[in-house]
Amino acid sequence: DAGVIQSPRHEVTEMGQEVTLRCKPISGHNSLFWYRQTMMRGLELLIYFNNNVPIDDSGMPEDRFSAKMPNASFSTLKIQPSEPRDSAVYFCASVILGGQETQYFGPGTRLLVL
Amino acid sequence: AQSVSQHNHHVILSEAASLELGCNYSYGGTVNLFWYVQYPGQHLQLLLKYFSGDPLVKGIKGFEAEFIKSKFSFNLRKPSVQWSDTAEYFCAAGSSNTGKLIFGQGTTLQVKP
């Protein structure tokens, strides 16, 4: 299996621009998580989906952030407009619900907002 | 409230020293426990996990952890660290029902050659 796939791996953009991060979970996994990691705040859970339905978005920092999961094999995290304080590494992870399963992380997208 | 606390934020050891990283959790109901490792510039990878059964869990690269229910602890150990163990280590607790994990703040381990 290819594992969790994220794109792009690196993104540099200017303040005010829209940023879209993409994630393809492991095939068969029915739960997907978006995390943000910074030096100051560590690893933060932004939002997660079970069976494509958003369950908890309390970690989404502001209305500028939105996430979708239109089907079981694809999710996006969008920031519009982006700000320098959004600079971070964004990880996507997936897991199979209900069993003794492990949450697997993608390689992350390193975002720099200038 | 659900939480995971890692006592050590930054640990510096010499090669061949023994390692123990503390992790305590607060979680209602049946809990699953994990240790993840993040090597510099990489993503989180699973070291080991506990769901049930033997409270002493062995993971990859010689790591082990012990679940002590009475102490709400899941400490990570390695008898002899190597320079290549330099990384950040995260303890996490979660439920099979939701899949959601609560992560600790992380412990940065630096191993001096």
Side-chain angles (χ1 to χ4, degrees):
Chain A
D1 199 318
V4 177
I5 299 172
Q6 290 186 248
S7 65
R9 295 292 307 276
H10 297 89
E11 177 83 24
V12 181
T13 190
E14 292 187 345
M15 182 174 65
Q17 296 298 306
E18 177 179 297
V19 175
T20 299
L21 311 181
R22 297 171 177 81
C23 175
K24 176 178 169 55
I26 293 173
S27 177
H29 284 196
N30 54 2
S31 188
L32 183 143
F33 301 79
W34 282 102
Y35 295 89
R36 178 172 69 175
Q37 187 177 36
T38 62
M39 290 288 291
M40 292 297 294
R41 301 170 74 96
L43 190 65
E44 303 173 275
L45 175 64
L46 300 178
I47 184 171
Y48 74 99
F49 298 83
N50 287 348
N51 297 307
N52 312 339
V53 176
I55 301 300
D56 183 356
D57 66 354
S58 59
M60 297 284 261
E62 301 170 35
D63 291 345
R64 298 185 296 105
F65 285 70
S66 63
K68 294 182 180 179
M69 192 163 186
N71 57 61
S73 59
F74 184 65
S75 177
T76 59
L77 178 67
K78 186 176 293 186
I79 308 172
Q80 166 62 17
S82 58
E83 296 183 4
R85 59 193 167 125
D86 302 330
S87 298
V89 182
Y90 291 81
F91 289 105
C92 176
S94 70
V95 68
I96 299 174
L97 285 174
Q100 293 189 349
E101 301 293 339
T102 299
Q103 197 173 118
Y104 289 95
F105 281 74
T109 294
R110 192 171 295 272
L111 173 65
L112 178 61
V113 183
L114 301 174
Chain B
Q2 299 169 344
S3 66
V4 174
S5 178
Q6 294 181 236
H7 316 303
N8 320 97
H9 296 295
H10 198 159
V11 174
I12 302 174
L13 295 173
S14 298
E15 274 193 316
S18 64
L19 170 72
E20 180 160 3
L21 301 182
C23 173
N24 285 93
Y25 65 92
S26 174
Y27 202 95
T30 302
V31 64
N32 302 325
L33 296 163
F34 304 81
W35 276 97
Y36 282 84
V37 61
Q38 185 178 28
Y39 298 104
Q42 296 190 25
H43 62 285
L44 276 74
Q45 304 169 46
L46 182 72
L47 264 183
L48 49 79
K49 59 186 177 183
Y50 172 81
F51 288 93
S52 62
D54 190 342
L56 185 62
V57 180
K58 294 192 183 300
I60 61 171
K61 304 186 179 186
F63 286 91
E64 65 178 32
E66 185 175 11
F67 170 56
I68 303 179
K69 190 173 181 179
S70 61
K71 295 184 177 180
F72 301 95
S73 70
F74 190 56
N75 293 354
L76 180 71
R77 299 194 292 250
K78 185 171 184 179
S80 176
V81 296
Q82 301 173 312
W83 176 78
S84 58
D85 294 325
T86 294
E88 189 158 15
Y89 292 80
F90 293 90
C91 181
S95 161
S96 295
N97 293 331
T98 66
K100 179 181 175 180
L101 293 179
I102 308 295
F103 280 89
Q105 312 93 305
T107 297
T108 300
L109 171 65
Q110 183 181 354
V111 180
K112 294 184 175 181

